[in-house]
């Protein structure tokens, strides 16, 4: 469904992507991880043409993204994107944020757009927040609105660029829970994240990057149990050092954590390694 072939990009004389290649089949979840500054966000933004490339090719289905004749506005109807920061219109209500793109881009009637918006807000657990403004919501709620807005255009692919990095730790779980549900429903997803618990739970493949290169692409079980590259091993070891193991019984368990834990237990065997625990032992 998505083919990224030998793409390279530089800012002036500084290379940021070096011959990066991987594919994503329909219904797969690919997580891109690696140290900060490795080119992860640049790579995912090349997928829908937000960033240009100097060489190589990105294809979504039969469409060549970086062909000068490609209508990127039409392409982005099929490819939803969620950013680190929520990018909501502050002067519109939550409902207004979800309806605007539907009416302007898809030409839906006010009634149709409203019905679809309310359906999606219920899906992300925010049906009771429809008439509030973004400033009245928590960060986690705003990011869930951003996900619902992206879904309102009925995309075939969802791209997530570190969607939890701007959130307080206690708000991360509520956003990840929505993303886990999307993965379980079969949405094709590329996710840039440092949330290794999420990656282990839902990813089919891990793409590990360093210094603008794809160092390793592995099945999720292999990446966490036996990574091939020394750089990936060092990365996972650094996570372990940064987040020493916590005993779940030694700290309060939030309702959000319990929901995710219970959901994963019931869904074990669907994706990933069947655990909601990252390599450091942290439960999100």
């Amino acid at each position: 469904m998505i083919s990224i072939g030998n793409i390279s990009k530089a800012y002036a004389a500084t290379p940021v992507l070096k011959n990066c290649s991987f594919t994503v089949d329909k219904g797969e979840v690919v997580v891109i991880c690696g140290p900060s500054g490795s080119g992860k966000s640049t790579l995912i933004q090349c997928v829908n043409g937000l960033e240009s490339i100097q060489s190589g090719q990105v294809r979504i289905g039969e469409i060549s993204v970086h062909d000068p004749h490609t209508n990127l506005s039409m392409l982005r109807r099929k490819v939803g994107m969620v950013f680190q920061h929520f990018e909501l219109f502050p002067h519109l209500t939550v409902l207004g944020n979800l309806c605007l793109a539907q009416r302007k881009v898809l030409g839906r009637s006010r009634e149709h757009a409203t019905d679809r918006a309310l359906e999606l807000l219920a899906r992300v657990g925010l049906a009771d927040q429809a008439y509030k403004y973004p400033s009245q919501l928590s960060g986690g709620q705003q990011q869930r609105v951003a996900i619902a807005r992206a879904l309102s255009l009925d995309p075939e692919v969802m791209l997530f660029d570190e969607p939890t990095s701007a959130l307080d730790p206690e708000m991360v779980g509520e956003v990840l829970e929505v993303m886990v549900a999307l993965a379980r429903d079969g949405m094709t997803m590329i996710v840039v994240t440092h949330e290794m618990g999420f990656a282990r739970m839902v990813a089919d493949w891990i793409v590990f990057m360093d210094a603008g290169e794809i160092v390793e692409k592995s099945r999720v079980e292999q990446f966490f149990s036996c990574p091939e590259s020394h750089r990936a091993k060092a990365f996972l070891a650094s996570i372990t050092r940064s987040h020493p193991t916590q005993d779940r019984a030694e700290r309060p368990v939030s309702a959000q954590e319990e929901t995710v834990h219970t959901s994963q237990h019931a869904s074990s065997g669907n994706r990933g390694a069947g655990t909601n625990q990252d390599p450091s032992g942290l439960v999100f």
Side-chain angles (χ1 to χ4, degrees), residues 227-249:
E228 295 178 354
S229 66
H230 292 299
R231 187 64 189 89
K233 291 176 182 178
F235 175 76
L236 292 175
S238 71
I239 292 175
T240 304
R241 289 194 299 270
S242 299
H243 303 287
T245 301
Q246 296 183 35
D247 186 339
R248 188 178 174 89

Side-chain angles (χ1 to χ4, degrees), residues 1 60-63 72-81 106 150 153-159 187-188:
M1 185 173 190
I60 299 178
E62 299 301 317
I63 301 172
L72 290 177
S73 295
M74 292 291 291
L75 173 71
R76 289 170 187 153
R77 295 184 188 185
K78 300 181 179 181
V79 185
M81 181 126 193
L106 301 182
L153 296 182
D154 301 326
E156 298 174 9
V157 177
M158 285 290 290
L159 309 177
M187 175 63 75
T188 305

